[in-house]
Amino acid sequence: MAENNDFTHLPLPLLFRGKPKLHGGGRVSDQTRVNTANRITHGGYIKQRSVELSRFWKERRAERTENGSPNLETGIPILFEIDPSTNIDFLRGLGFEIVCEVEEGFIIVATEDIDLSVLNAKADAFIENLTARCNSPAKVYALCEDSDRLKQILSKELYAKWAAILPDKEYLIDVGVNCSGNNELPKRPKREGSETDEHYFAREQRWMEKCNQAYMDWDEIKMEREETIEKFVSEYNGEIMQLVDGESEITDLPDSFSARLKISGKCLLDLVLNFAYIFDVSEAEPINMGVAPENNNSYTENVQIAAPIQSDPIVCIIDSGIQEMHKYLESAILHDDSMSLLPNNSSVSDEVTGGGHGTRVTGAVLYPSTIPTNGVYQLPCWIRNMRILDENNCLPEDVYPPKAIAIAVQKYNINNPIPTKIFNHSIGSHRSCELKHMTSWAAEIDSQSYNNNILFIQAAGNISTDVISAYWQAGYTYPEYLDRELCRISDPAQSLQAITVGSVSATELETEDFVALGKQMEVSSFSRSGPGIWDVLKPEVVEYGGTQVYNKGSIPPQLTTPPEVCPELIRKSPKGPAFARDDVGTSFSAPKVTYIASQVEKVLPEAPALLYRALIAQSARWPKNINELSKSECVSTLRHIGYGVPDVERATHNDEYRITLVTTTLMELGDDEAHIFQVPIPEELSNVGEDYDILVEVTLSYAASPRRTRRNVKGYLSTWLDWCCSRIGESAETFGRRILETGSIIDDDGDFNWVLGETTNRGAADGYSRKNGTLQKDWCIIKSNQLSDAFCIAVRGHKGWGDLFKAKYSLAVSFEAIHQDIPIYEPIRTEIESVVENGEIEIEMAKNNQ
């Protein structure tokens, strides 16, 4: 072995680029076939319902005029039930603008044609079977009542109280409004096999001109609808507190804007009932991160705190402010960069009683394991302080969460000469996240993460003791209640691009009178569980955030947090100690992962933030071996702790028996594109006579441009990615042809026993799909002789909502001899160097590019 080897991550060789052979499309649904076969009956139904809805909206408009309601220049909204397997764009041909996908097969549309004349004409053509292209009405199953639309656009809480809305009461409301109109992005032209560069370039330029025109059209619609909302609200003497919309740049799709409104109940009722382009309405939830009890224990500290090295990473803490002059924190704070978004309060200090919140979070980043009381301690990174919570640890109603996210990224990343790439966000709702569509808060994190080279580390959220008590008394004790609806991760932890962090217990504690809820490295009693929206695996990782103690036999359950089950955290002083064990929460597990991210950035400062995310997940482990768990236990483990507990050493370095290969630069893939990577396997590892146990881990971390008005990952993202690997004994060339030319059983995951697996090779955690999220990890244990001379991974791009926006990604692949009985790092490193020297990286498959 080479001397002085620091076991750094090595570059992952890219072998092939090309167009993947994908299997797509589905059969026509049975209901659509029935409708097509019964043209007169189904066409007659559509015509009848269009007449009824047209009459309904004419009467409603007449009633508004009689009541002297403010003028509202807008179309009429309708909730359609359609063939769930079809492309929803066919609705445009029926005369409608698509406002939003809601549940599967249900679409809210709008039209300014109150007579629905286009729909009626299409229904007539369908009945008469005039042409082969007149069958689109068969895919329309129902035109629903407007009351059904309200149930789809209102949050559960607001819908429950809708009948009791008081006209004169003031409400604080968050709304989402579609502004994409009927102008879709044109499809990127495909290059013909014999086409010259000049001819294709000219066609691509015309395509770009059409894209730019579509952007200008969207921007105009956005401004018109913002003005309509502003005028409407002002006529009711209401107030628009904040507006957030897409930037008018080529990298953003302004398909919607979000607003926080302070309006009367009368205005709220009128707006929701009659503004056609609204798709999301909820009461603004008070965000309160809670207050810890005072702790007056004292400690003696005789420690020297050394400032971070000048080149160390800079982490932004978005929280309640920080006690910046704290002995343990002061040397890491970039004081001149601190800011407050609080109205009428420019202080950046942590004013939360009971020891603070942002101060504790910051301390968990800088002191992730233990807090020293003597010696010299080198701080690991710099801190930027952005305060958005007040002295009550609450988010003021004037501070709109999506806007705060945008301001933080603008100040500390986009417009900063030394940009921050890592943002800690230990703030969230007390409610479970919605599952219909992405909230404006989470969508803003996704949009900023795609457009900028940043990583948000988000707390999963805490379950209140009231919710735990209610479930417990209903018969759901620990850990059964964690799988109930009210214990699902909270907003914005469902963000696809953030890495969401839950909490585990670090100790086992039991006496005759009480027991800690959760043994060592088991999920904490308060940690919210997944999956998140659209069955995406959340949280992805967990860290030590403490747990609660249950007084045995107490009904309702008495839950406490003695020091033995609390993490050691920096506290706001001088009142009370400088640090203590007196609080728990995912707020304090998230910054421990932020610390790991900062150390990955330290060793890979030029790497994309997507790689930091990949390596955090790649380093994570379950506390129990997969072979010790049943399938149901595997699923439960994924729901509670995701990929497990990350490790800073595995995330940043390797050893003699472990090697990690990564994409060193930001990779991009569009729809219908593929990259194939090769890990050259040395002969001593793949020899037929050897049967060493090798842990294989693969993590794909990608980001794509989000579209909030669409439902499910494939509609929400501009391009979605997945990965698959070569089979046992398969050569790189055979695998390449299978992916790029034949498409033969491409979903067969290399016939390895993956934990999650895919399609034809479901893993131990059957029911979860690694394809759902933008952070896709899987792992398995194989025998070394099952590795061919080249282990290959293919990353494939699939059609989302727009091929103008390619997905960006990073990929990590690790091999580890789990019994440390055969060296791995040096032999594979030598093989990679040989591949690079021989110029065998990045070979085009010529046939596939025709």
Side-chain angles (χ1 to χ4, degrees), residues 295-517:
N295 185 321
N296 294 312
N297 294 332
S298 61
Y299 296 84
T300 300
E301 307 99 22
N302 184 26
V303 62
Q304 297 180 39
I305 308 298
I309 299 170
Q310 186 174 358
S311 60
D312 279 347
I314 305 173
V315 169
C316 175
I317 306 294
I318 306 174
D319 215 281
S320 65
I322 302 170
Q323 184 185 0
E324 295 192 353
M325 305 310 292
H326 195 291
K327 172 181 178 179
Y328 277 85
L329 308 179
E330 179 184 3
S331 299
I333 308 295
L334 297 176
H335 303 277
D336 293 342
D337 291 346
S338 302
M339 72 176 299
S340 170
L341 292 189
L342 299 185
N344 306 315
N345 187 345
S346 61
S347 171
V348 296
S349 296
D350 185 353
E351 298 175 355
V352 177
T353 59
H357 189 267
T359 298
R360 295 178 192 266
V361 168
T362 304
V365 175
L366 299 177
Y367 303 91
S369 300
T370 59
I371 301 174
T373 56
N374 52 59
V376 177
Y377 183 83
Q378 177 78 56
L379 292 168
C381 61
W382 299 97
I383 299 293
R384 282 175 169 146
N385 172 18
M386 181 174 178
R387 184 185 182 194
I388 65 172
L389 301 180
D390 63 18
E391 67 277 6
N392 298 313
N393 218 15
C394 296
L395 189 71
E397 62 184 29
D398 324 56
V399 180
Y400 191 33
K403 196 72 173 180
I405 296 294
I407 292 172
V409 176
Q410 190 78 25
K411 176 177 176 63
Y412 295 126
N413 179 270
I414 299 173
N415 293 336
N416 204 294
I418 309 177
T420 284
K421 295 167 72 173
I422 300 168
F423 293 78
N424 188 96
H425 196 243
S426 289
I427 301 173
S429 166
H430 282 290
R431 300 173 185 163
S432 302
C433 70
E434 292 281 351
L435 299 180
K436 291 179 184 176
H437 44 248
M438 198 66 73
T439 63
S440 58
W441 195 353
E444 187 66 29
I445 292 175
D446 287 344
S447 178
Q448 294 292 344
S449 298
Y450 173 72
N451 292 321
N452 305 290
N453 184 22
I454 58 173
L455 172 61
F456 270 86
I457 292 153
Q458 172 68 48
N462 303 328
I463 309 166
S464 71
T465 53
D466 290 343
V467 169
I468 295 175
S469 179
Y471 275 133
W472 199 292
Q473 293 180 78
Y476 300 102
T477 58
Y478 174 88
E480 286 82 10
Y481 64 78
L482 294 171
D483 295 335
R484 310 305 296 175
E485 181 180 358
L486 297 180
C487 299
R488 186 172 58 245
I489 60 168
S490 61
D491 187 26
Q494 77 276 26
S495 158
L496 296 193
Q497 314 293 21
I499 187 165
T500 301
V501 184
S503 175
V504 290
S505 172
T507 57
E508 298 184 19
L509 180 65
E510 183 171 7
T511 69
E512 291 183 359
D513 301 320
F514 58 79
V515 60
L517 297 181

Side-chain angles (χ1 to χ4, degrees), residues 181 229 242 364 422 783:
I229 288 277
Q242 295 282 356
I422 300 168
K783 293 297 183 181

Side-chain angles (χ1 to χ4, degrees), residues 75-99:
I76 62 171
I78 301 175
L79 175 66
F80 275 16
E81 181 183 3
I82 67 170
D83 183 342
S85 66
T86 193
N87 186 329
I88 65 175
D89 290 340
F90 84 93
L91 291 167
R92 295 190 176 89
L94 299 180
F96 297 101
E97 174 185 337
I98 298 169
V99 175

